[in-house]
Structures are given as structure tokens and as C-alpha cells.
């Protein structure tokens, strides 16, 4: 018996040590970004001989250097990213919730074939559709417009899957009684389905926002100066002849910190959002 | 003979009696049903009058999604296959179809000027060393990173699922935090951390270990393994570290949810049978977790095949291309720097084929042959 409790204590110790080690490893790069963005370049580039782990006072001057840079207006790219991600998320939420409602609550002849076709595209690395999409976008005259990045992924297969799964939980009796009271089918969706789906919609919204926020390859191909999103703008700074790391660190901090705060704040929804898609069926 | 006829008569009589008993009931039934039936017919007619709305409602709800889905997802997939049999000669503008009827002005133009080349693009793939190299790099990341990450994520999920563990919420959030990091930003940060005189090497030398050529490559330190691993080993390992940092927490959350769905009675039963820790894991946790594990493995595999921003940035920061170039990078290079869209499309088709085969294999290995 005593042998057992001692062994348990060892397991607990190992468990905590392992988790804490991982927590530290996960946090180091993030903490380092914050610190580096407040230091002059020479200070954090010398990390190999003299690492600084306390924030300095150079944040604003680094930011100024970043902003005065030719060709990349970083603050503007933050605005671009936010605008694109918000419009994309809203549009996609409408499309996915309407489609999910149709799949969850109606029977129609083409239901199964359409649904399984959509599901099948979930396993494709969709970034690989960049070539035909690029041709189509330029044919439509949408190159260098926000729509070029919003439209192609607005019909999100994962989104429709999540919405269908969740909307199946709405009781049919509820919809039926509203129908008898004279509600139109659209009112059923708008006045009953949407309000009851608030938390799933929030979860999906976070997943969609993060997805759009991180898109890189396609924006890199179709966007030009002035319309750059954050990833493209940062890549523009990295790929230049002489790399100014102080500017990069400010840019990285500005792009990472707000999302982290949002994530910590909405963590519960995010978790349930991932889960709804992963478990069962 | 008489016996059989007698029997036949008796049977007939019974039949007759039965028929006369049943018939009025049947008739009554039909009469009772008739008004219902008529009401149904009227209802259907009403429906038909009110429709097309009623019948087409689900289609109307689905239409906006479906239009964008076919335009930007289904069509491009087919178009990639089509492109892979052609060589690209520039953006097309030839009008294929032009309908102009008052308010409707619809013009269908050809998207690209193409020259049909048959299987030439695919044949070229067979002899393209750079493609093979990119495939090898991607495979390295697949076979090292995916098991490493899923192992870590599973261990973390098990630890955070233990009843004695405290601060679960805090740990879960901090470990999952990297998933919200901007791809390009975190790749850049890793580039800096892994510099020859960066923070990581500072810590390593502080611990008395040798300085690792993370980005520049080289076979120092590898010793007898140098010949096998080659001088692209360290840059590739850098990519593995960066990707693992970002996605471990995400997978941990999914596995954690899977663990929480395992019925506790199963563990109790195993305990009564005298199972130890390992046996409980092996015979209860693993089988119960199989569908979730499968999901994690398949999505991670797909993720590996679309790696792009991390290797791009690491390479621009000085890592040798032939060590870190992934398939998507090579496709991007072919398509948008050399404008060989047909060849790049052929690579895409092959890549999607590989992913599909891997997914099917994984699903059939981990699938539900409930043993």
C-alpha cells in the first residue's frame, strides 16, 4: 500500500514537471517577442552572448521606424486584416448557418450527395487551389481587391459541417409549432435557429476569424501594396535586402498580442468550436 | 375422392364465412379512409399551389453557400486537373459564349490560353530532382513531426485529464495559445531564436552542449549519423520544432475532449480486473480514443502537406533551399515565379493524390473494425 502511494507521488511529480516544462517552452517565444519589441536591435540580436529578458523603452521608436518604412504601411495592414477577417467571418457565418439549417432540418432529394461532396473537400489541402483561383480572380477583375480573399473561402466546408451538427439539436416540435403560428421558413431560421445557436456561432466565428487572419499564400499572390494583410506585410519586411529585426519584432508583437488577448478571452468558445468538429460522425 | 371433395367444400365454406365477416369491416375502413385521403389530396394540391416555395425552401437556404462552393472550391479542383494536361500561354480573353438579351448580359470567356500537352507534365515530374527533393523534405517533416507532436499532445492531454492535476484551465490555455499566433510572425521569431548566436544556442552552450547550426545546416555534432542525416538535417529539424510549437496545444485540446468522453465505468471495471496503469491505457484509453486520434492524425498529415510560410521564411533567413523546400513552396515557385501553371497543377494533382491515399490508409488502419 505504502509502495503504491509513493509511486503515485512520483507520477504526480512527473506529470507536473512535464506540463510545466511545456508551459514554459510555449511561453518563451511569446515573452521574447514582447521583450524584443521594446529593445534596440543590437540588444536582442546579441541574445547569444548577452540575453536580455527585461522589457526596454524602445517600443515607440521601433514602431516609428517600422511606419516610416517605404512600401509597407504596417498599421494600415492591421486595418486591412481586421476588415477582411470581420467581413469574411460574418459572410461565412451567414452562408454556413443557412446551409447547415437546410441540411439539419429539411429533407430534400439532393441532400446526401451534396452533403457528402462538401465533406469530401474537407480533406483537401485547399491552399493548393491557388493556381485556378488566381486565374479566376484575375479573369473576374478582382485582383488586388478585398473580395479576392474574402469570397473564395466564404463557403467553408468545416463551417457547414459544424452548423449541421449543432442545428440537429433544435427540436423539430419547436419549428413545427412556429410553422402553425404562421411563421415563414426564413423566420424559423432567423428567429428560432440563429438565437438558439449563439454559442456555436461564436465558436465557429473564432475558428473562421483565425483561419482568415492567418491566410498567407493566396493574399501573397493576389494583393498589391496598400492592400497587404499582416502576414504579407511581415513577409515583405523579412524578404527585403537588409532585414531590420527591430521593425519585425514590433510587427510581430502587434500581430500576436491582440490575438492572444482575444484567445484568452474567448478560449471556452474556441475549445468547443474545435470539439464540435472533431468528435463523432 | 369423396373425402377430398368434402374437405374442399368445408374449406370453401370457411372461406365464405371469413369473407363475409371481413368485407363490411374492409368497406367501412375504405369509407373511413376516403375523406382522409381526399383531405390529403387537397392538402397536396394546396401545397402545390403554395409551392414552389415549400419544396424549394431547403434549396434556397443552401443556394448562397452552394454557389460560392461550386465556383471557388469544386470548379477549381476540376480546373486544376484540366490545367495539369496543358501548358499555360497567358491569361485568356477569347469569348466562348455571349448572351445579350436586354437586361441580361452574360459573357463567358476562357480563363486561360492553353496548349494541350497530354501527360507531358506528369512525365516531367518523374525526372524532376527538385520535386523529389521537396517530396523527401515534406516526408521527413511528416514522419518526424506528426508522431512527435501527437505523442506530446497525448501525454499532455493525459496529464491534464488526471484527477489530481490542478490549474487545468490555465495550463490548457497557455499550451494552446500558440495556435492563435500569426503564422508569418511566429516563423520569423523562430528564425531569430535559432540564429547561430540566438537565444536557443545560448541556452544550449550554457548547459555545456555544442552550438547547433539550426539554420545554416552542416553535419557537425551528428557524429556517425552524419552520413545518414545529411547536412540538411538541422534546418529541417528547425521546421519540425516551429510547427510542433504551434500545433501541439491545438491537438491536445481535441485529445482532451476525447479523453473526457471515455466512460469512467470502463476504468473501474479494469481496476477490478487488476489492471495496472499501462494496461488501463493500453486496453481502455487507446481503443476508446481511436476515432479522435484518427482525426488528429489525418488533419496533421494534411497540415504537413500544406506547409508553406514557415519554410519560406526560414529559407529566406538563410537556410539552404534544398533542405527546407516543401512541396507547396515548390509549386508556388513554379506557378508564380516561373509561370508554369500547367506543370505546377500536375504537381498539385499528385500532391492531392498522395494526401488522399495517406488519409485512406490511416482511416483503414485506425478505422472501426471494433475488435
Amino acid at each position: 500500500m505504502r509502495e503504491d502511494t509513493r509511486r503515485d507521488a512520483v507520477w504526480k511529480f512527473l506529470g507536473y514537471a512535464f506540463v510545466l516544462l511545456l508551459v514554459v517552452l510555449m511561453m518563451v517565444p511569446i515573452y521574447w517577442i514582447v521583450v524584443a519589441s521594446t529593445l534596440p536591435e543590437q540588444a536582442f540580436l546579441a541574445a547569444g552572448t548577452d540575453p536580455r529578458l527585461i522589457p526596454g523603452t524602445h517600443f515607440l521608436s521601433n514602431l516609428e521606424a517600422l511606419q516610416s518604412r517605404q512600401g509597407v504601411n504596417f498599421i494600415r495592414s492591421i486595418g486591412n486584416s481586421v476588415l477582411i477577417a470581420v467581413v469574411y467571418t460574418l459572410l461565412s457565418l451567414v452562408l454556413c448557418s443557412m446551409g447547415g439549417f437546410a441540411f439539419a432540418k429539411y429533407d430534400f432529394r439532393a441532400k446526401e450527395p451534396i452533403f457528402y461532396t462538401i465533406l469530401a473537400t474537407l480533406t483537401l489541402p485547399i491552399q493548393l487551389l491557388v493556381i485556378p483561383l488566381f486565374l479566376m480572380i484575375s479573369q473576374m477583375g478582382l485582383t488586388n481587391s478585398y473580395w479576392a480573399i474574402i469570397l473564395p473561402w466564404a463557403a467553408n466546408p468545416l463551417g457547414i459541417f459544424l452548423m449541421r451538427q449543432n442545428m440537429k439539436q433544435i427540436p423539430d416540435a419547436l419549428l413545427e409549432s412556429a410553422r402553425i403560428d404562421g411563421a415563414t421558413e426564413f423566420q424559423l431560421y432567423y428567429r428560432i435557429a440563429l438565437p438558439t445557436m449563439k454559442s456555436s456561432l461564436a465558436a465557429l466565428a473564432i475558428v473562421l476569424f483565425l483561419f482568415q487572419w492567418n491566410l498567407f499564400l493566396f493574399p501573397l499572390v493576389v494583393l498589391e501594396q496598400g492592400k497587404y494583410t499582416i502576414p504579407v506585410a511581415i513577409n515583405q519586411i523579412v524578404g527585403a535586402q537588409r532585414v531590420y529585426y527591430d521593425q519585425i519584432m514590433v510587427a510581430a508583437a502587434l500581430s500576436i498580442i491582440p490575438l492572444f488577448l482575444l484567445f484568452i478571452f474567448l478560449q471556452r468558445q474556441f475549445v468547443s468550436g474545435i470539439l464540435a468538429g472533431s468528435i463523432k460522425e | 375422392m369423396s373425402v377430398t371433395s368434402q374437405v374442399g367444400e368445408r374449406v370453401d365454406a370457411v372461406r365464405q364465412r371469413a369473407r363475409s365477416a371481413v368485407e363490411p369491416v374492409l368497406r367501412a375502413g375504405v369509407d373511413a379512409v376516403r375523406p382522409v385521403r381526399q383531405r390529403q389530396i387537397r392538402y397536396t394540391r394546396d401545397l402545390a399551389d403554395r409551392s414552389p416555395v415549400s419544396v424549394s425552401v431547403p434549396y434556397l437556404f443552401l443556394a448562397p453557400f452552394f454557389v460560392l462552393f461550386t465556383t471557388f472550391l469544386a470548379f477549381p479542383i476540376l480546373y486544376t486537373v484540366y490545367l495539369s494536361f496543358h501548358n499555360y500561354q497567358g491569361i485568356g480573353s477569347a469569348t466562348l459564349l455571349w448572351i445579350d438579351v436586354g437586361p441580361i448580359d452574360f459573357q463567358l470567356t476562357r480563363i486561360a490560353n492553353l496548349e494541350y500537352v497530354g501527360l507531358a507534365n506528369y512525365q516531367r515530374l518523374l525526372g524532376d530532382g527538385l520535386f523529389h527533393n521537396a517530396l523527401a523534405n515534406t516526408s521527413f517533416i511528416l514522419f518526424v513531426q506528426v508522431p512527435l507532436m501527437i505523442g506530446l499532445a497525448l501525454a499532455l492531454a493525459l496529464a491534464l485529464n488526471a484527477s489530481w492535476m490542478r490549474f487545468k484551465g490555465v495550463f490548457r490555455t497557455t499550451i494552446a495559445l500558440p495556435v492563435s499566433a500569426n503564422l508569418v510572425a511566429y516563423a520569423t521569431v523562430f528564425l531569430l531564436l535559432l540564429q547561430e548566436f540566438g537565444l536557443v544556442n545560448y541556452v544550449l552552450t550554457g548547459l555545456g552542449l555544442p552550438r547547433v547550426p539550426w539554420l545554416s545546416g552542416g553535419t557537425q555534432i551528428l557524429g556517425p549519423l552524419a552520413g545518414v542525416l545529411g547536412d540538411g538535417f538541422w534546418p529541417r529539424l528547425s521546421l519540425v520544432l516551429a510547427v510542433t510549437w504551434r500545433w501541439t496545444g491545438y491537438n491536445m485540446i481535441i485529445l482532451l475532449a476525447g479523453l473526457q468522453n471515455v466512460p469512467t465505468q470502463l476504468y473501474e471495471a479494469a481496476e477490478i480486473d487488476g489492471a495496472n496503469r499501462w494496461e488501463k491505457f493500453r486496453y481502455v484509453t487507446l481503443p476508446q480514443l481511436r476515432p479522435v486520434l484518427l482525426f488528429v492524425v489525418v488533419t496533421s498529415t494534411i497540415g504537413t502537406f500544406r506547409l508553406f510560410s514557415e519554410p519560406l521564411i526560414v529559407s529566406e533567413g538563410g537556410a539552404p533551399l534544398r533542405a527546407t523546400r516543401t512541396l507547396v513552396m515548390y509549386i508556388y515557385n513554379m506557378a508564380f515565379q516561373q509561370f508554369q501553371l500547367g506543370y505546377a497543377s500536375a504537381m498539385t494533382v499528385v500532391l492531392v493524390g498522395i494526401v488522399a491515399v495517406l488519409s485512406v490508409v490511416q482511416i483503414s488502419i485506425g478505422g472501426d473494425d471494433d475488435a
Side-chain angles (χ1 to χ4, degrees):
Chain A
M1 204 63 195
R2 184 172 296 164
E3 186 64 21
D4 247 26
T5 49
R6 192 176 298 161
R7 204 178 289 161
D8 276 354
V10 171
W11 272 103
K12 278 186 201 179
F13 175 77
L14 286 178
Y16 274 110
F18 175 63
V19 170
L20 283 174
L21 176 71
L22 264 287
V23 166
V24 170
L25 287 179
M26 295 297 174
M27 294 311 285
V28 162
I30 298 168
Y31 180 73
W32 193 69
I33 295 172
V34 178
V35 173
S37 70
T38 64
L39 291 172
E41 195 179 13
Q42 316 85 292
F44 67 82
L45 281 186
T49 47
D50 168 30
R52 304 267 195 98
L53 295 174
I54 299 155
T57 54
H58 278 252
F59 183 80
L60 285 179
S61 63
N62 286 350
L63 179 62
E64 222 165 276
L66 173 66
Q67 267 312 95
S68 61
R69 200 187 168 92
Q70 280 264 303
V72 182
N73 183 340
F74 193 74
I75 301 287
R76 164 116 199 240
S77 77
I78 296 181
N80 289 340
S81 268
V82 171
L83 177 75
I84 291 172
V86 167
V87 174
Y88 167 80
T89 303
L90 290 178
L91 178 66
S92 192
L93 278 183
V94 172
L95 296 180
C96 293
S97 60
M98 278 172 67
F101 186 67
F103 281 127
K105 287 296 151 196
Y106 294 96
D107 272 318
F108 49 103
R109 195 177 292 171
K111 180 164 153 173
E112 304 246 304
I114 296 181
F115 184 68
Y116 287 110
T117 310
I118 293 174
L119 267 198
T121 60
L122 262 178
T123 58
L124 288 180
I126 55 169
Q127 275 81 348
L128 292 173
L129 300 179
V130 164
I131 298 161
L133 279 177
F134 168 73
L135 290 175
M136 288 165 66
I137 292 290
S138 33
Q139 170 69 23
M140 292 168 174
L142 288 175
T143 320
N144 200 27
S145 84
Y146 293 135
W147 292 115
I149 328 188
I150 292 173
L151 287 180
W153 289 280
N156 188 306
L158 183 67
I160 210 149
F161 181 58
L162 294 187
M163 281 291 115
R164 183 190 92 124
Q165 298 301 93
N166 288 316
M167 287 201 175
K168 280 195 159 180
Q169 293 161 8
I170 302 172
D172 284 328
L174 190 63
L175 299 180
E176 206 48 62
S177 64
R179 247 181 220 129
I180 290 166
D181 291 343
T184 64
E185 299 297 307
F186 187 74
Q187 280 169 334
L188 297 185
Y189 157 75
Y190 185 70
R191 307 274 289 271
I192 296 177
L194 280 193
T196 51
M197 286 291 109
K198 248 181 212 156
S199 63
S200 333
L201 286 168
L204 177 59
I206 298 165
V207 175
L208 290 170
F209 190 93
L210 276 178
F211 169 78
Q212 177 64 252
W213 190 259
N214 280 316
L215 269 189
F216 175 51
L217 180 51
F218 198 60
L220 179 68
V221 171
V222 293
L223 292 184
E224 286 158 28
Q225 258 184 37
K227 295 256 166 106
Y228 285 157
T229 54
I230 293 173
V232 184
I234 295 183
N235 182 57
Q236 238 34 45
I237 308 172
V238 179
Q241 288 298 319
R242 149 91 163 89
V243 184
Y244 293 90
Y245 285 107
D246 46 350
Q247 302 173 13
I248 290 175
M249 294 320 280
V250 174
L254 285 178
S255 70
I256 281 185
I257 303 305
L259 256 275
F260 281 169
L261 295 179
L262 194 73
F263 181 82
I264 292 170
F265 196 60
L266 297 172
Q267 192 249 127
R268 204 170 287 265
Q269 267 86 359
F270 178 73
V271 171
S272 65
I274 301 180
L275 299 187
S278 61
I279 312 298
K280 299 279 160 68
E281 255 203 314
Chain B
M1 192 171 92
S2 65
V3 174
T4 49
S5 71
Q6 265 179 0
V7 170
E9 268 167 41
R10 210 177 292 163
V11 168
D12 275 347
V14 171
R15 273 204 194 128
Q16 194 67 40
R17 224 178 301 148
R19 210 175 290 152
S20 58
V22 165
E23 231 159 354
V25 178
L26 267 183
R27 208 171 297 135
V30 171
D31 285 345
V33 163
R34 198 167 286 148
V36 175
R37 187 89 193 117
Q38 276 170 347
R39 237 180 291 145
Q40 269 178 356
I41 293 170
R42 209 178 307 136
Y43 179 63
T44 329
R45 218 180 282 140
D46 282 354
L47 265 187
D49 286 344
R50 269 197 297 161
S51 65
V53 182
S54 315
V55 184
S56 59
V57 160
Y59 292 102
L60 287 178
F61 273 119
L62 201 53
F65 181 94
F66 196 68
V67 167
L68 284 185
F69 175 80
T70 29
T71 317
F72 292 111
L73 216 55
F75 175 70
I77 292 169
L78 298 177
Y79 197 59
T80 308
V81 178
Y82 176 77
L83 271 177
S84 71
F85 297 112
H86 292 80
N87 269 344
Y88 175 73
Q89 317 269 321
I91 297 257
S93 55
T95 305
L96 295 180
L97 175 70
W98 191 352
I99 303 167
D100 187 0
V101 215
I104 304 165
D105 179 5
F106 174 75
Q107 216 188 81
L108 182 68
T109 47
R110 197 154 12 138
I111 294 173
N113 287 327
L114 303 168
E115 175 207 6
Y116 180 75
V117 294
L119 288 171
N121 286 327
Y122 290 95
Q123 275 163 355
R124 189 176 153 194
L125 275 178
L126 296 176
D128 185 348
L130 289 175
F131 176 75
H132 301 161
N133 175 245
L135 190 60
N137 290 339
T138 310
S139 312
F140 176 89
I141 298 170
L142 180 70
F143 290 117
V144 176
Q145 195 268 330
V146 173
L148 171 72
M149 174 178 68
I150 291 175
L152 269 182
L154 184 58
L156 282 169
L158 287 171
L160 288 187
N161 195 43
S163 53
W164 43 263
M165 179 62 75
R166 303 210 186 175
F167 313 113
K168 287 177 183 169
V170 179
F171 290 151
R172 198 180 56 190
T173 307
T174 41
I175 292 173
L177 202 53
V179 87
S180 66
N182 193 298
L183 273 171
V184 179
Y186 100 82
T188 314
V189 170
F190 268 82
L191 177 65
L192 274 174
L193 286 173
L194 296 174
Q195 299 278 315
E196 194 175 354
F197 290 94
L199 201 58
V200 174
N201 273 344
Y202 177 80
V203 174
L204 287 181
T205 49
L207 293 172
L209 297 165
R211 189 167 267 137
V212 173
W214 292 107
L215 300 169
S216 53
T219 53
Q220 311 91 295
I221 325 168
L222 289 176
L225 287 173
V228 187
L229 298 171
D231 62 353
F233 175 74
W234 294 113
R236 280 196 288 264
L237 195 64
S238 307
L239 282 182
V240 168
L241 290 181
V243 177
T244 306
W245 179 79
R246 185 178 157 91
W247 291 106
T248 299
Y250 178 88
N251 290 305
M252 173 198 73
I253 287 179
I254 296 173
L255 291 172
L256 198 49
L259 285 179
Q260 281 162 1
N261 281 354
V262 178
T264 45
Q265 297 96 298
L266 290 181
Y267 290 111
E268 285 158 14
E271 244 159 66
I272 291 169
D273 291 346
N276 62 27
R277 223 180 227 101
W278 164 251
E279 283 165 343
K280 274 192 275 181
F281 175 74
R282 172 71 187 80
Y283 295 108
V284 179
T285 312
L286 268 190
Q288 288 289 313
L289 207 57
R290 195 161 60 177
V292 183
L293 263 175
L294 180 67
F295 176 86
V296 168
V297 171
V298 171
T299 50
S300 306
T301 304
I302 296 170
T304 306
F305 276 98
R306 57 182 189 215
L307 273 187
F308 177 68
S309 37
E310 296 94 335
L312 181 74
I313 284 159
V314 166
S315 304
E316 278 179 359
L321 257 186
R322 80 202 130 70
T324 54
R325 173 149 48 195
T326 58
L327 284 169
V328 181
M329 261 175 89
Y330 189 46
I331 291 174
Y332 169 80
N333 172 292
M334 258 313 146
F336 298 104
Q337 282 160 355
Q338 310 198 19
F339 262 82
Q340 302 192 17
L341 293 184
Y343 186 47
S345 298
M347 282 194 264
T348 306
V349 171
V350 169
L351 182 45
V352 169
I354 294 174
V355 174
V357 168
L358 279 179
S359 302
V360 169
V361 168
Q362 287 164 349
I363 288 169
S364 61
I365 290 177
D368 36 19
D369 48 274
D370 285 326

